[in-house]
Amino acid sequence: MVEPRHPISVSEAIARIQGHVRRTGSENVPLEQAYGRMLAEPLRASHDVPSFDRSPYDGFAIRAEDSAGASGTNRIRFEVIDRIGAGSVSARTLGPGEAIRIMTGAQLPAGADAVVMLEQTQESPPAQNAGAQEHAADSARPAADPESAASANSAASAGSADSADMSARAFFTVRKPFRAGENISFRGEDMRLGEQILPAGSLIHPGTIALLATFGQQQVNVSKLPLVGILATGTELLEPGAPLEPGKIRNSNGPMIAAQLQRMGIPYRLYAAAADRLGDMLDTVRQALGECDCLITTGGVSVGDYDLLPAVYAELGADVLFNKVAMRPGSVTTVAVWEGRFLFGLSGNPSACYTGFELFARPALLRMMGAERIYPLHTRAALGEDFAKPNPFTRFVRAVYDGVSVTPAGFNKSNAVSSIGRGNALLVLPGGTRGFQAGDAVDVLLPGMEEGAAAWNL
Ligand SMILES: Nc1nc2c(c(=O)[nH]1)N[C@H]1C(S)=C(S)[C@@H](COP(=O)(O)OP(=O)(O)OC[C@H]3O[C@@H](n4cnc5c(N)ncnc54)[C@H](O)[C@@H]3O)O[C@H]1N2
Ligand code: MOO
Ligand SMILES: [Mg+2]
């Protein structure tokens, strides 16, 4: 006689799993290998960013007070005494009426407290009082030739930067006053020394790499990756290279799970598909548990004569956390723990297997690495077509989400492969509901975030 199973909710199943997570520990890896890993410790700013006041524009560094009273009819004139590009530091200190030509990213020179954008200036002949009135509006002027301001006549080398080009004095005028601090990118405005920028457990994505590089972290302390064993079970299974035989199918779950792990950057070991013989299967499971931090099996968790996973758990003395979840597909999903290692007993049915991995295995693996944001992204969208079937259990329908609406991805039974291949999302219909209609707002989970939208519709 079959022992009745008691379905628990998806959230209860997740909670039971999370209660048994063991952390993986940490290790240092070179920056170039840190992408996709989790920070094992918080990332703190080891210096101010930027670490010096700098110019956010190409233009001229001035003393703001020297521009006081400037207007369209009272243009104020500055003399350019040096020129610096990003990476260069001027040796000069600004005196009254002096300016230093400065490029975006260059450190503000001593004495300067404002930057005039190139477009806010007019070149001025060296002669006194020249040219205030006769110039057209500033904005009508094409972007100034970077050489022009420094190209006038006369002597006086400017000291730093490329003084060859600065052999000439140049002058410009402004027609508005500048505030102290105007157009300055201040030291520490982005990040302050000691500030926590990211908590431990953050995924290292390309932006995180930029942060780590900013602080010169050539070695990054990351969580160790768990090694995951994958064992597809079933006498009917053929490997993908084999020709079909009567009654047999190719093993699609094994490679699929491998890819689900790959997209998380988690290493795995694939064990040869196990025929439904208890002794052999136990041997393989024991071997895998000896070699891996966790084992994902597919198939053999239901109540058929050859569904041997329940017997495997019993033989091992594993603690079965649950063997029935109020969801569809994947109601027979079973999770057990043996000596601190998870055994994820995913259903053999491909749609159920896919869903079980994303809902249960993925968050557990992420938490093992210390991650906080472990669940699939969730949004709401309009249902793209009627969904008449009743939903006795919470239903996860493999679907296509286009940013606005979500539509089931075709044939959608638990044993479907087509819809897992077509879809990019899981549409979620709560248990105890029926008769959804096109246009109804429904929940959508987005497990595969590397799949973007097909069109740019902003
Ligand atoms: N009397 C009952 N029968 C079934 C129940 C039930 O409650 N009472 N549950 C059904 C549900 S729901 C599911 S889901 C399946 C779960 O079956 P198992 O997890 O035991 O998986 P298998 O029996 O081994 O296989 C099911 C199905 O999937 C195919 N399969 C298996 N492995 C793979 C693989 N690696 N790649 C592709 N396809 C695979 C297998 O050939 C079967 O067709 O049980 C229902 N039955
Ligand atoms: O677990 Mo079965 O997939 O509910 O269809
Ligand atoms: Mg079965």
Side-chain angles (χ1 to χ4, degrees):
M1 227 17 249
V2 188
E3 256 186 59
R5 296 185 182 190
H6 303 288
I8 60 170
S9 68
V10 172
S11 57
E12 171 63 19
I14 288 171
R16 287 191 193 177
I17 293 169
Q18 290 297 322
H20 285 81
V21 166
R22 277 196 327 189
R23 288 293 311 277
T24 53
S26 67
E27 63 186 350
N28 282 332
V29 296
L31 180 63
E32 313 80 66
Q33 289 163 28
Y35 169 67
R37 305 292 295 268
M38 303 290 166
L39 289 178
E41 57 190 50
L43 192 156
R44 290 184 191 286
S46 57
H47 55 72
D48 288 342
V49 177
S51 54
F52 49 87
D53 291 346
R54 65 185 175 187
S55 176
Y57 296 122
D58 302 315
F60 298 91
I62 62 166
R63 301 168 1 137
E65 63 190 278
D66 296 345
S67 67
S71 70
T73 53
N74 179 36
R75 305 199 67 113
I76 291 183
R77 192 159 175 275
F78 288 85
E79 178 183 4
V80 182
I81 61 164
D82 197 3
R83 175 169 71 168
I84 45 172
S88 300
V89 177
S90 177
R92 306 290 303 271
T93 298
L94 286 185
E98 290 180 341
I100 289 177
R101 185 167 176 108
I102 193 166
M103 309 308 153
T104 305
Q107 178 172 326
L108 212 65
D113 61 0
V115 168
V116 180
M117 292 171 75
L118 203 53
E119 296 88 333
Q120 296 173 313
T121 67
Q122 276 189 333
E123 212 178 316
S124 169
Q128 283 294 311
N129 300 326
Q133 316 287 21
E134 69 270 31
H135 293 291
D138 293 349
S139 57
R141 198 175 63 123
D145 169 1
E147 301 303 314
S148 66
S151 67
N153 51 14
S154 112
S157 163
S160 66
D162 46 342
S163 39
D165 282 343
M166 277 305 299
S167 57
R169 286 237 168 130
F171 299 85
F172 65 89
T173 63
V174 300
R175 57 173 200 170
K176 80 169 205 76
F178 287 77
R179 280 175 288 107
E182 194 165 342
N183 294 341
I184 291 176
S185 165
F186 288 104
R187 172 178 182 152
E189 71 176 7
D190 189 354
M191 294 175 275
R192 286 242 169 249
L193 168 68
E195 182 188 347
Q196 179 178 305
I197 312 300
L198 289 173
S202 298
L203 171 71
I204 299 176
H205 56 65
T208 326
I209 296 287
L211 267 174
L212 292 161
T214 294
F215 295 117
Q217 285 204 21
Q218 289 174 289
Q219 294 288 319
V220 189
N221 191 223
V222 297
S223 297
K224 281 189 180 157
L225 296 167
L227 175 63
V228 179
I230 303 173
L231 174 64
T233 74
T235 301
E236 74 275 35
L237 299 181
L238 300 167
E239 285 315 307
L244 284 180
E245 299 169 26
K248 308 261 184 188
I249 60 166
R250 296 198 184 95
N251 168 17
S252 61
N253 289 344
M256 174 179 72
I257 292 168
Q260 285 173 296
L261 289 164
Q262 271 177 328
R263 84 170 162 197
M264 300 174 67
I266 290 182
Y268 56 84
R269 192 165 287 178
L270 267 173
Y271 293 88
D276 298 315
R277 285 188 301 269
L278 185 57
D280 296 351
M281 205 181 287
L282 252 176
D283 288 348
T284 311
V285 167
R286 285 207 169 99
Q287 183 197 343
L289 287 171
E291 295 170 350
C292 304
D293 299 297
C294 113
L295 176 63
I296 299 178
T297 60
T298 85
V301 283
S302 187
V303 294
D305 289 354
Y306 304 101
D307 288 336
L308 299 177
L309 266 296
V312 168
Y313 303 133
E315 289 283 328
L316 285 173
D319 176 13
V320 175
L321 305 184
F322 55 83
N323 61 10
K324 186 96 179 166
V325 187
M327 63 186 275
R328 183 121 299 189
S331 59
V332 293
T333 305
T334 301
V335 176
V337 177
W338 178 82
E339 297 200 351
R341 290 164 167 74
F342 282 115
L343 292 110
F344 292 98
L346 304 184
S347 161
N349 273 328
S351 278
C353 181
Y354 179 91
T355 308
F357 179 94
E358 296 297 332
L359 295 187
F360 303 121
R362 186 175 191 276
L365 291 164
L366 289 172
R367 186 53 62 77
M368 285 165 71
M369 297 185 287
E372 291 291 330
R373 288 184 275 171
I374 59 176
Y375 303 112
L377 273 186
H378 170 207
T379 187
R380 302 266 296 168
L383 189 57
E385 65 186 37
D386 292 352
F387 194 95
K389 270 198 259 182
N391 311 300
F393 285 164
T394 305
R395 192 186 290 281
F396 295 85
V397 185
R398 191 73 181 149
V400 177
Y401 170 66
D402 65 5
V404 179
S405 63
V406 63
T407 307
F411 180 71
N412 232 306
K413 287 197 180 149
S414 175
N415 54 16
V417 186
S418 58
S419 58
I420 45 176
R422 287 192 194 109
N424 66 350
L426 290 170
L427 116 69
V428 189
L429 303 174
T433 60
R434 65 157 70 215
F436 282 88
Q437 294 185 325
D440 287 350
V442 292
D443 291 304
V444 182
L445 297 178
L446 302 167
M449 283 308 292
E450 77 277 28
E451 298 173 287
W456 179 255
N457 46 23
L458 282 185

